[in-house]
Amino acid sequence: MIGDRSPKNGDPDEDLLGRVAAGDVKATRALISRQLPRILAVATRMLGDASEAEDVAQETFLRVWRNAGGWQQRNARFSTWIHRVAINLCYDRLRRRKHVLAEDPPDVPYEGPAPDAGLLSEDDPNRRVERAMQMIAPRQREAIILVYYQAMSNAEAAAIMEISVDALESLLARGRRSLQTLLLKERIDD
């Protein structure tokens, strides 16, 4: 049926992806506009840095563009696959951060105020939660981001993380406890 956007297999992006593989610029734009906000949100929350998140999103869509012709729906929807690609790229960057910090410390750390110090209040609850999110284990952070910030079902998040729903629920419980502990500690320290 012309105009019917729901494919037979239930993946709303499959038709677009096929058109992207065929070089359709409009389909590429449509796919990016559909997926970019969620990919940027995941990457920003995983990395805690909007600029790095934009780089991850760009690399994610480059990989989609390069591999559009080879993608086939097997056990996961396209949105699951693209989230997995973005999260893997985030983990690559997080690993590189550890290596850079361990190998090449700066000569003298800058002790002055951050350039945005006057713009962001340290008491802002959202800022406190963002800081706490960066302090919890990456897998816990990933689970929380997918379920609570991306509004995915436990089954969808578990598929992206390539774990069972029970394992996801365990990560969520540990992540919530870690956040609660960090936020309460910060409140006591203030």
Side-chain angles (χ1 to χ4, degrees):
M1 172 189 295
I2 296 175
D4 184 9
R5 296 180 56 113
S6 57
K8 294 173 188 166
N9 65 11
D11 191 334
D13 295 313
E14 187 170 18
D15 177 56
L16 275 177
L17 199 57
R19 291 174 31 216
V20 168
D24 184 334
V25 174
K26 286 183 181 180
T28 302
R29 286 187 187 130
L31 187 67
I32 290 171
S33 69
R34 181 184 292 180
Q35 296 291 339
L36 181 61
R38 293 177 64 93
I39 297 304
L40 269 176
V42 165
T44 301
R45 288 190 173 96
M46 284 294 295
L47 299 169
D49 182 308
S51 178
E52 274 194 287
E54 289 173 3
D55 291 344
V56 163
Q58 184 176 22
E59 178 62 27
T60 299
F61 284 101
L62 279 172
R63 289 184 183 194
V64 167
W65 180 68
R66 283 187 207 131
N67 298 307
W71 182 83
Q72 296 175 5
Q73 182 178 5
R74 289 187 179 93
N75 296 327
R77 294 169 62 140
F78 173 73
S79 62
T80 301
W81 179 79
I82 194 171
H83 275 83
R84 184 75 255 151
V85 169
I87 288 169
N88 285 344
L89 289 169
C90 288
Y91 279 124
D92 290 346
R93 285 181 177 261
L94 290 170
R95 278 189 290 275
R96 266 188 257 134
R97 281 183 190 171
K98 288 179 183 177
H99 289 275
V100 169
L101 291 175
E103 294 172 4
D104 213 1
D107 293 333
V108 179
Y110 177 67
E111 300 280 334
D116 61 355
L119 301 175
L120 299 172
S121 167
E122 291 298 315
D123 293 334
D124 178 19
N126 292 331
R127 182 105 167 107
R128 289 177 43 219
V129 171
E130 286 174 24
R131 278 195 314 268
M133 284 287 289
Q134 293 305 308
M135 295 171 73
I136 66 174
R139 293 289 282 177
Q140 293 172 9
R141 181 170 56 237
E142 180 182 352
I144 288 172
I145 290 167
L146 292 174
V147 172
Y148 295 114
Y149 289 93
Q150 297 295 99
M152 292 184 177
S153 71
N154 286 3
E156 289 172 310
I160 289 170
M161 293 181 73
E162 299 174 335
I163 59 176
S164 70
V165 172
D166 288 342
L168 174 85
E169 289 171 354
S170 177
L171 283 170
L172 288 170
R174 289 194 319 265
R176 286 189 303 261
R177 279 194 304 272
S178 296
L179 283 173
Q180 182 180 26
T181 300
L182 289 166
L183 292 169
L184 287 173
K185 182 182 181 312
E186 185 177 303
R187 183 180 286 168
I188 291 169
D189 291 344
D190 286 346

